[in-house]
């Protein structure tokens, strides 16, 4: 299936089966806002649990908090968001569509990477087994020409962004002959900066002093609580504080389903370290986060690291973990070495010391911070896009199956009595009662067994337990595997051990421990 069609298929599948609905749909929806339905909420909670347990349960030096969405407005002055949390926007005069200038340039660079990939594929075909990819990339004139151009564009873009040179950013778009994907024209406006924070007013009096912001990231709630947590938890550096919560950004160009929304959720962890050790910890967290993603089994080739061209105002090293979404490789998670910028800024604006006293050296210092920040909604989309599969079966029929990692699936088990009589439903209910304290289960007795299997495939239930007449005689059931469609007969008393091996939290987290 074409990648762009895949996104459409996923959107309609999500709506049909209760994963994601357009928000306030009866009023024709609200742009770039979505609601998670009954299955979506389960999947989202499971992704949160996977992250939370991996962070706080598997690392004895990481604890989790839940800070308020509203914060004192000075927080955002201190963090730099009031002055610098801007997107450079450009409009196409013909289509009247608005774009982020940096994203247009990133997309141009990505096209060049794809051109290089095509050259490599041509080389592979031409030279067969004797093909040496490294040598080819280092010597092929076409590849070298494209790479040189890429480097030039990257350098110019980096300088323009770092110096906020909006004129040159526009000129670069014009020089590269980038066209609007809608109108196909190069008729661009000036580039303008646009602040992304939503503001509202506190209490009944609207005015300058009562303006507050909806947090654009969860990280600041961690920074302002650094000392509270360190002291009350007697934490010793290095240690981390994790948080999951909503963030809000007035994204002007919000699109691509739940990839870029105005209200979304982040899972962030700030890791406080001794100054000078931050780059070692930065490498540590790059590896740890990659391992966490790969452990889901969505395919190693679907991930890649991307170093930032423009470092944010607070960072001395930064990269993204990108995922191969239906729209191509895009940011899934950011890993930043944020220096001591945030804590120092909060010291400056609050007049309070935010320092760690190291008992081993009798010294106080402001720690440096490594941040890992992953979008929950983007995780959700990555899981769905890698899991969504349309299969042609041997008998010529077709099935749509969500091959969601078993521990993340909304329902772990479907319990299906073969027929609606002869005591089979009662036996099925008994099995449900035995398992439902530990697992989410769906009971279904309507329609033929084949139809019920298809329904469970479509919602991603990894195992279907069928109760038949033999069950009543031998206390055994068949258990059907969603991905292989194979069935085995096992004793009812073995079900807890089977499920523990295949879809419990320990089955997923085991490889990370
Ligand atoms: N505290 C650092 C921070 O907020 P970021 O790269 O701006 O860094 C972190 O955001 C993650 O949040 C991103 O990697 C992405 O997964 C998610 N994210 C950011 N903006 C988003 C949006 N508009 N919609 C959905 N997810 C978003």
């Amino acid at each position: 299936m074409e990648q762009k069609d895949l996104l459409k298929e996923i959107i309609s599948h999500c709506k049909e089966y209760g994963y994601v609905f357009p928000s306030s749909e009866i009023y024709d929806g609200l742009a770039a806002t979505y609601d998670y339905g009954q299955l979506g909420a389960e999947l989202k909670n499971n992704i949160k649990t996977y992250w939370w347990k991996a962070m706080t349960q598997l690392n004895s030096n990481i604890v989790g908090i839940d800070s308020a969405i509203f914060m004192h407005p000075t927080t955002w002055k201190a963090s730099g968001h009031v002055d610098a949390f801007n997107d450079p926007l450009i409009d196409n005069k013909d289509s009247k569509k608005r774009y982020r200038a940096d994203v247009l340039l990133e997309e141009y660079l990505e096209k060049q990477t794809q051109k290089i990939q095509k050259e490599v594929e041509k080389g592979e075909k031409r030279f067969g087994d004797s093909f040496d990819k490294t040598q080819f990339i280092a010597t092929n004139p076409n590849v070298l020409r494209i790479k040189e151009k890429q480097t030039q564009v990257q350098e110019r873009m980096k300088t323009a962004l770092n110096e906020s040179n909006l004129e040159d950013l526009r000129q670069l778009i014009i020089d590269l002959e980038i066209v609007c994907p809608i109108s196909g024209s190069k008729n661009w406006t000036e580039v303008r900066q646009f602040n992304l924070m939503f503001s509202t007013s506190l209490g009944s009096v609207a005015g300058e002093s009562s303006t507050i912001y909806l947090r654009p990231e969860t990280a600041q709630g961690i920074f302002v609580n650094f000392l509270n947590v360190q002291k009350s938890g007697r934490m010793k550096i290095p240690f981390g504080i994790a948080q999951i919560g909503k963030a809000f950004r007035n994204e002007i160009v919000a699109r691509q389903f739940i990839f870029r929304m105005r209200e979304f959720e982040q899972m962030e962890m700030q890791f406080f370290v001794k100054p000078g050790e931050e780059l070692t910890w930065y490498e540590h967290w790059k590896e740890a986060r990659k391992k966490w993603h790969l452990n889901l089994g969505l395919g190693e080739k679907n991930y890649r690291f991307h170093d930032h061209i423009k470092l944010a105002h607070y960072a001395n090293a930064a990269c993204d973990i990108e995922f191969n979404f239906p729209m191509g490789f895009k940011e899934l998670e950011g890993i930043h070495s944020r220096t001591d910028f945030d804590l120092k800024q909060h010291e400056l604006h609050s007049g309070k010391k935010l320092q760690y006293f190291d008992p081993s050296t009798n010294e106080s210092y402001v720690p440096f911070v490594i941040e890992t920040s992953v979008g929950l909604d983007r995780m959700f989309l990555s899981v769905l896009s890698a899991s969504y599969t349309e299969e042609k079966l041997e008998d010529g029929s077709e099935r749509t199956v969500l091959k969601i990692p078993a521990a993340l699936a909304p329902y772990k088990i479907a319990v299906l009595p073969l027929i609606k009589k002869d005591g089979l439903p009662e036996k099925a209910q008994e099995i449900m009662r035995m398992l439902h304290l530990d697992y989410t289960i769906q009971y279904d007795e309507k329609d033929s067994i084949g139809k019920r299997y298809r329904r469970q495939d479509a919602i991603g239930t990894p195992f279907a337990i069928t109760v038949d007449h033999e069950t009543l005689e031998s206390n055994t059931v068949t258990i059907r595997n969603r991905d292989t469609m194979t069935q085995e007969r096992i004793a009812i008393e073995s079900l807890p051990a089977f499920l523990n091996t295949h879809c419990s939290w320990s089955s997923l987290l085991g490889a990370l421990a």
Side-chain angles (χ1 to χ4, degrees), residues 107-121 146 150 304 327-329:
E107 282 171 359
Y108 172 87
L109 289 169
E110 175 60 24
K111 275 190 196 142
Q112 306 307 306
T113 305
Q114 285 166 9
K115 276 190 193 166
I116 293 175
Q117 184 55 29
K118 283 218 173 95
E119 291 294 333
V120 171
E121 281 164 17
I146 301 169
Q150 252 186 336
R304 71 181 187 194
M327 315 78 78
F329 273 96

Side-chain angles (χ1 to χ4, degrees), residues 242-280:
Q243 161 151 249
I244 300 177
K246 290 261 180 177
F248 304 83
R249 294 181 189 177
N250 196 1
E251 301 277 5
I252 290 307
V253 193
R255 56 183 168 178
Q256 291 167 330
F257 192 36
I258 54 174
F259 180 82
R260 193 178 301 286
M261 294 192 288
R262 301 199 169 103
E263 174 184 341
F264 57 99
E265 253 178 291
Q266 289 184 317
M267 305 190 284
E268 298 201 293
M269 194 278 296
Q270 315 296 132
F271 198 72
F272 300 91
V273 303
K274 198 170 176 180
E277 293 182 358
E278 72 276 11
L279 291 180
T280 311

Side-chain angles (χ1 to χ4, degrees), residues 346-480:
H346 288 306
E347 277 198 326
L348 193 70
H349 284 77
S350 68
K352 311 268 168 29
K353 270 202 175 345
L354 293 175
Q355 301 192 357
Y356 173 74
F357 174 72
D358 188 337
S360 61
T361 58
N362 275 346
E363 270 176 352
S364 290
Y365 58 82
V366 178
F368 271 43
V369 172
I370 306 303
E371 167 184 76
T372 72
S373 175
V374 58
L376 175 54
D377 311 271
R378 288 190 190 177
M379 270 307 297
F380 187 101
L381 186 56
S382 73
V383 169
L384 278 191
S385 40
S387 304
Y388 183 91
T389 319
E390 287 175 2
E391 285 180 354
K392 222 180 173 84
L393 304 178
E394 274 174 13
D395 65 1
S397 66
E398 286 176 8
R399 70 165 187 159
T400 302
V401 50
L402 292 183
K403 296 184 175 177
I404 299 174
L408 299 188
Y411 291 111
K412 305 292 181 283
I413 319 151
V415 175
L416 317 170
L418 190 61
I419 52 171
K420 255 195 274 183
K421 54 183 186 183
D422 299 343
L424 299 189
E426 289 74 14
K427 188 72 185 168
Q429 299 281 352
E430 196 186 305
I431 293 172
M432 274 188 71
R433 280 195 297 278
M434 176 181 141
L435 300 172
H436 75 170
L437 286 181
D438 294 316
Y439 299 102
T440 44
I441 305 179
Q442 192 168 66
Y443 176 79
D444 192 2
E445 58 178 26
K446 197 170 169 285
D447 297 325
S448 72
I449 193 75
K451 271 194 184 157
R452 282 183 272 166
Y453 284 152
R454 289 289 168 277
R455 260 201 307 267
Q456 296 303 327
D457 289 344
I459 64 173
T461 310
F463 298 105
I465 294 172
T466 305
V467 175
D468 54 19
H469 292 93
E470 203 180 323
T471 306
L472 303 180
E473 286 159 23
S474 62
N475 242 3
T476 59
V477 287
T478 62
I479 187 150
R480 173 188 181 267

Side-chain angles (χ1 to χ4, degrees), residues 88-140:
L89 299 178
I90 190 165
D91 291 41
N92 183 269
K93 292 182 192 165
D94 299 318
S95 66
K96 311 268 184 270
K97 289 279 173 204
R98 186 162 285 178
Y99 300 91
R100 269 175 58 179
D102 56 333
V103 171
L104 284 180
L105 291 166
E106 291 280 3
E107 282 171 359
Y108 172 87
L109 289 169
E110 175 60 24
K111 275 190 196 142
Q112 306 307 306
T113 305
Q114 285 166 9
K115 276 190 193 166
I116 293 175
Q117 184 55 29
K118 283 218 173 95
E119 291 294 333
V120 171
E121 281 164 17
K122 271 200 259 168
E124 260 167 355
K125 266 197 195 141
R126 191 156 17 114
F127 297 111
D129 285 346
S130 62
F131 182 68
D132 179 341
K133 189 174 168 187
T134 317
Q135 196 199 354
F136 183 83
I137 289 177
T139 54
N140 179 275

Side-chain angles (χ1 to χ4, degrees), residues 123-185:
E124 260 167 355
K125 266 197 195 141
R126 191 156 17 114
F127 297 111
D129 285 346
S130 62
F131 182 68
D132 179 341
K133 189 174 168 187
T134 317
Q135 196 199 354
F136 183 83
I137 289 177
T139 54
N140 179 275
N142 286 346
V143 172
L144 291 177
R145 189 177 35 75
I146 301 169
K147 279 187 123 185
E148 194 189 330
K149 174 92 183 184
Q150 252 186 336
T151 311
Q152 280 169 4
V153 172
Q154 268 170 349
E155 283 305 314
R156 202 169 142 194
M157 177 179 161
K158 182 175 162 185
T159 311
L161 286 169
N162 280 337
E163 294 171 357
S164 284
N165 185 345
L166 302 183
E167 251 170 54
D168 199 47
L169 213 50
R170 174 177 189 267
Q171 196 53 49
L172 186 54
I173 288 172
I174 289 168
D175 292 350
L176 295 174
E177 304 192 337
I178 294 177
V179 297
C180 164
I182 306 289
S183 67
S185 91

Side-chain angles (χ1 to χ4, degrees), residues 36 66 83 112 131 202 205 217 226 249 305 504:
Y36 287 85
D66 183 9
D83 298 318
Q112 306 307 306
F131 182 68
L202 191 68
V205 189
E217 61 173 14
F226 159 70
R249 294 181 189 177
F305 278 112
S504 65

